[in-house]
Amino acid sequence: QVQLVESGGGLVQAGGSLRLSCAASDLRFSTYAMGWFRQAPGKEREFVSAITWRNGVKKYADSVKGRFAISRDGPTNTMYLQMNSLKVEDAAVYYCAATGWPRPSDSQLFLGTTYGYWGQGTQVTVSS
C-alpha cells in the first residue's frame, strides 16, 4: 500500500513561489501516475496537475499552465509541484494522490475518483 506525505506549504505573497513535495512510501510497480489536487474553503476539490511515473507525461489544469511545474524523482519516490507567480485564488489545501494499474485513460487522470491513495494535505496561503 502506498503512503503519501506532502510538505512545503506555507504563506507567500501574490507573485511569489512555493515548491510542494510528496514523498511516497514505495512506488516501484504499483503506481501508474501521481497527481496534485487542491481544495479551497467552500469549494470542491479540483485537479491541478498529474504525472505518469514511468514516462513522466504531464497534465495541467488550464488555470495553472505556464505557472506550475510538476516533476518526479524516481530514486527517492518523491513528486514535486513548483508553483510560480502565485495568485490569491491559488490558496487551498493541496493534496497529492496516486493511482495504480490497470492504467487509467488520459482523461481519467484529471478526476479525483481515479486515485486510490491520498496524502493528508498541505496548506498554501497566498496574501494579496
Side-chain angles (χ1 to χ4, degrees):
Q1 183 163 345
V2 177
Q3 294 181 327
L4 307 173
V5 179
E6 304 97 333
S7 61
L11 172 64
V12 65
Q13 285 189 326
S17 298
L18 280 175
R19 189 176 81 155
L20 304 183
S21 300
C22 175
S25 56
D26 186 5
L27 297 178
R28 286 201 275 185
F29 304 108
S30 64
T31 299
Y32 172 72
M34 293 181 68
W36 290 98
F37 289 77
R38 66 187 182 188
Q39 187 167 21
K43 295 187 177 181
E44 293 187 354
R45 181 181 61 192
E46 65 174 355
F47 171 82
V48 176
S49 184
I51 186 167
T52 60
W53 200 253
R54 292 184 182 180
N55 299 326
V57 175
K58 303 172 183 179
K59 306 291 185 185
Y60 294 98
D62 289 343
S63 59
V64 305
K65 279 181 182 176
R67 300 188 299 122
F68 290 12
I70 193 170
S71 61
R72 89 269 193 249
D73 181 66
T76 62
N77 289 337
T78 304
M79 176 178 66
Y80 300 98
L81 184 69
Q82 178 66 42
M83 305 187 295
N84 299 324
S85 302
L86 281 161
K87 304 176 180 180
V88 172
E89 52 264 39
D90 292 319
V93 177
Y94 282 70
Y95 299 91
C96 73
T99 181
W101 299 84
R103 60 166 289 180
S105 66
D106 281 358
S107 60
Q108 288 176 316
L109 289 176
F110 291 80
L111 304 176
T113 52
T114 298
Y115 298 80
Y117 303 101
W118 292 84
Q120 82 288 350
T122 186
Q123 178 72 51
V124 172
T125 304
V126 184
S127 63
S128 57

